[in-house]
């Protein structure tokens, strides 16, 4: 059994729902603690020094980036969306350890410090802000705002951090950690089918679309579903339904994507007209203007303001780095590896926006499905990803 297969088998049961087969690995829960312990154990088993940063992201170092200059860091995250797949995040972390194993087995020691990163709270499934760990690290998320974010139970991020043994007061931009990161490289399962079309197991990212999350609060009047005449109702669900249908049409007009995947209904009774509905809109597109136009149209249809919960501007990954990797990871006949954009946000995008030279590798996903238990990558493609990552580390260090 390869080290990749052994690590993959170790992680398979952690946070897996027996009813859906999907993963529920949310930030600062006991499941998250198990994953973080696993990461520390893998790192220590390889003689790496694990250094947490102020936001709770974990950095496992081979070599000393303080003494020997900024290092090359590879890695990803271990948390998931509700009922997410096994690959989004863990593939990058497991591949990072496996690539190090491959390099060591070949006697190929990196000449610069090599770090393996495990970012905290990437999906934002619990507190609503995606890439919270990397945003706190770079200062893109205000620490006071982060501490006050609440989950569905009303637990604040500050409380969740404390109960997970983290120091919530320490949150804030962490220059000491950032100084150690000379280059960041994140391997990730592809969330689309471009590599299927290109008939290639591994590709290189070009850019991330601008994207964000907005909250729509619609108010009406609770009443009896059996005794209130239609004409007498003030039902906010109707305006929301119109807004959601409109979001689809608006996204089509602007060449963008819009999704309402989360709702909160009060009082949430089958026989009660809602008094209040809250919907969360995820919108992404090729340009900021397109995304903003979609959000404005949806808010107008809902008859309410759209409260912005997060925003990430367009990210173009480092061009020389991208071209270098595409050349290094070519098919051997001189053709470079495919280069593709993505609509998904990643910690790599946050680091890139903060000025760290950053690149991403994608591993083929036969169905393109992600954020679902059906998310998949073939074992052979996963190993091709490990080999590509090892080649990339050699080329960059
Ligand atoms: Zn991810």
């Amino acid at each position: 059994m390869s080290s990749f297969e052994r690590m993959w088998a170790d992680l398979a049961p952690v946070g897996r729902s027996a009813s859906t087969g999907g993963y529920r690995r949310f930030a600062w829960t006991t499941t998250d603690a198990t994953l973080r312990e696993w990461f520390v154990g893998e790192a220590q088993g390889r003689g790496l020094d694990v250094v947490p940063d102020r936001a709770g992201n974990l950095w496992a170092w081979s070599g000393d980036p303080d003494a020997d200059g900024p290092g090359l860091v590879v890695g990803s995250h271990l948390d998931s969306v509700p009922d997410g797949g096994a690959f989004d995040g863990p593939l990058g972390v497991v591949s990072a350890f496996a690539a190090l194993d491959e390099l060591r087995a070949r006697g190929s020691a990196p000449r610069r410090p090599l770090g393996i990163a495990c970012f905290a709270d990437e999906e934002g499934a619990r507190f609503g802000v995606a890439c919270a760990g990397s945003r706190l690290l770079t200062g893109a998320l205000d620490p006071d705002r982060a501490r006050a974010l609440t989950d569905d139970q009303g637990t604040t991020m500050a409380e969740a951090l404390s109960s997970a043994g983290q120091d919530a007061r320490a949150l804030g931009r962490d220059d000491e950690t950032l100084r150690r990161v000379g280059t960041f490289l994140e391997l990730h399962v592809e969330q689309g089918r471009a590599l299927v079309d290109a008939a290639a197991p591994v590709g290189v990212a070009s850019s991330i679309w601008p994207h964000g999350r907005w909250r729509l609060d619609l108010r009406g009047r609770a009443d009896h579903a059996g005794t209130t005449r239609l004409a007498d109702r003030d039902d906010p669900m109707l305006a929301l339904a119109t807004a959601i249908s409109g979001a689809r049409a608006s996204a089509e007009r602007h060449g963008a994507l819009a999704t309402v995947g989360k709702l909160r209904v009060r009082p949430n009774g089958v026989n009660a007209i809602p008094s209040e509905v809250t919907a969360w809109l995820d919108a992404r597109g090729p340009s900021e203007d397109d995304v903003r136009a979609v959000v404005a149209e949806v808010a107008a249809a809902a008859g309410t303001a759209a409260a912005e919960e997060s925003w990430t501007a367009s990210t173009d990954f480092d061009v020389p780095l991208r071209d270098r990797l595409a050349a290094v990871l070519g098919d051997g006949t001189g053709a470079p590896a495919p280069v593709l954009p993505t609509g998904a946000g990643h910690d790599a995008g946050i680091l890139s926006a903060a000025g760290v030279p950053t690149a991403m590798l994608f591993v083929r996903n036969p169905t393109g499905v992600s954020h679902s238990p059906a998310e998949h990558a073939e074992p052979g493609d996963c190993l091709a990803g490990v080999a590509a990552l090892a080649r990339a580390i050699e080329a960059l260090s």
Side-chain angles (χ1 to χ4, degrees):
M1 190 186 269
S2 68
S3 71
F4 181 93
E5 289 165 316
R6 197 263 308 154
M7 288 186 276
W8 202 252
D10 286 350
L11 287 179
V14 184
R16 189 162 190 263
S17 157
S19 58
T20 65
Y23 287 93
R24 297 174 184 173
R25 296 166 166 170
F26 306 140
W28 310 118
T29 58
T30 52
T31 299
D32 192 40
T34 303
L35 294 163
R36 292 166 62 83
E37 278 166 30
W38 173 88
F39 179 88
V40 171
E42 291 297 324
Q44 289 177 342
R46 291 170 174 81
L48 309 180
D49 295 322
V50 180
V51 189
D53 66 20
R54 293 173 62 181
N57 306 305
L58 298 171
W59 304 79
W61 283 103
S62 163
D64 182 352
D66 294 330
D68 302 324
L72 167 65
V73 179
V74 294
S76 191
H77 61 94
L78 294 174
D79 65 318
S80 78
V81 295
D83 290 320
F87 295 82
D88 179 349
L91 184 64
V93 176
V94 169
S95 297
F97 284 123
L100 176 62
D101 295 342
E102 193 167 313
L103 290 170
R104 285 179 169 177
R106 297 212 281 267
S108 171
R111 280 181 300 278
R112 70 197 272 211
L114 177 68
I116 297 181
C118 175
F119 283 98
D121 198 4
E122 194 274 346
E123 298 288 4
R126 185 170 175 194
F127 296 103
V129 176
C131 301
S134 54
R135 283 184 209 270
L136 284 162
L137 164 70
T138 62
L141 173 59
D142 178 72
D144 285 330
R145 189 186 155 212
R147 281 186 282 262
L149 292 169
T150 53
D151 67 10
D152 289 342
Q153 267 68 54
T155 305
T156 64
M157 185 186 280
E159 290 162 349
L161 285 164
S162 299
S163 56
Q166 301 288 314
D167 181 3
R169 291 163 308 179
L171 297 184
R173 182 179 159 95
D174 188 338
D175 285 303
E176 195 185 2
T177 297
L178 285 170
R179 264 198 303 276
R180 298 177 183 134
V181 187
T183 308
F184 180 63
L185 176 58
E186 179 170 4
L187 176 146
H188 204 277
V189 67
E190 193 195 352
Q191 296 165 298
R193 300 183 70 250
L195 290 172
V196 173
D197 295 343
V202 178
V204 181
S206 58
S207 59
I208 298 178
W209 277 8
H211 57 279
R213 296 177 180 190
W214 291 263
R215 194 187 69 249
L216 301 159
D217 295 303
L218 294 86
R219 301 224 154 72
R221 192 184 66 247
D223 215 329
H224 195 293
T227 58
T228 316
R229 288 183 302 185
L230 293 177
D232 292 340
R233 297 178 180 208
D234 180 5
D235 182 351
M237 191 67 89
L238 295 178
L240 179 61
T242 304
I244 293 172
S245 303
R248 169 70 180 245
S250 177
E252 277 171 4
R253 271 197 304 283
H254 293 282
L257 298 170
T259 306
V260 175
K262 179 175 172 178
L263 295 180
R264 189 173 63 209
V265 182
R266 296 214 159 103
N268 207 26
V270 177
N271 56 356
I273 296 162
S275 59
E276 193 181 320
V277 288
T278 300
W280 281 265
L281 171 70
D282 177 306
R284 304 156 192 248
S287 80
E288 173 164 356
D289 287 350
D290 293 317
V291 179
R292 298 279 179 201
V294 169
V295 175
E297 288 171 21
V298 173
T304 183
E308 185 172 297
E309 294 202 331
S310 71
W311 169 254
T312 307
S314 172
T315 305
D316 289 309
F317 289 115
D318 189 86
V319 173
L321 186 58
R322 179 193 82 192
D323 291 347
R324 176 107 190 273
L325 289 173
V328 167
L329 303 178
D331 62 6
T333 67
V339 174
L340 44 140
T342 176
H346 299 284
D347 296 310
I350 305 299
L351 264 62
S352 179
V356 177
T358 298
M360 287 191 78
L361 303 183
F362 290 126
V363 171
R364 177 164 55 191
N365 175 340
T367 62
V369 171
S370 182
H371 285 186
S372 146
E375 181 181 272
H376 185 67
E378 292 296 335
D381 285 356
C382 292
L383 297 180
V386 173
L389 193 56
R391 278 215 302 289
I393 293 170
E394 267 183 326
L396 301 177
S397 63

